[in-house]
Amino acid sequence: MRFDEQRQLHGRHAKPVTKRIRDRIQYGTLHRGQRLFAARIALSLGVSTADVTSAFAELSREGLLTPTYSADYFRTWVVTGKAKR
């Protein structure tokens, strides 16, 4: 696969992943104050961590997630809002 083909494929699941995570927040599967880890969410959804990280960034812009850093500078995300139905 050529590099430009790989770039086109990267992030192809980001929008569906964003919707799936937003739905989990909306329906209470993921609740306010809960810490989210991209690797765990990616594993549960069967997608790449890059797609989950892109989704987290979008949900952060919507005010649903807030990025945080722990003592070892490992980035996590915290659910801060509830999606509107």
Side-chain angles (χ1 to χ4, degrees):
M1 182 178 295
R2 293 186 345 243
F3 178 73
D4 57 334
E5 291 173 334
Q6 288 177 333
R7 286 187 66 196
Q8 290 174 352
L9 291 176
H10 176 71
R12 69 176 185 235
H13 297 293
K15 289 189 183 203
V17 170
T18 303
K19 182 185 178 331
R20 290 169 70 186
I21 296 170
R22 187 184 300 110
D23 288 347
R24 287 181 176 194
I25 294 170
Q26 178 179 349
Y27 296 111
T29 306
L30 301 173
H31 55 275
R32 185 175 294 194
Q34 182 175 352
R35 285 190 182 274
L36 304 180
F37 298 89
R40 289 182 189 166
I41 298 293
L43 186 60
S44 74
L45 297 178
V47 297
S48 73
T49 56
D51 290 330
V52 172
T53 302
S54 295
F56 282 178
E58 176 63 28
L59 294 169
S60 177
R61 286 189 290 275
E62 294 176 14
L64 298 175
L65 298 179
T66 300
T68 61
Y69 296 89
S70 65
D72 60 358
Y73 300 101
F74 182 81
R75 187 175 208 169
T76 61
W77 299 77
V78 176
V79 178
T80 54
K82 183 149 180 129
K84 295 177 183 172
R85 291 185 185 198

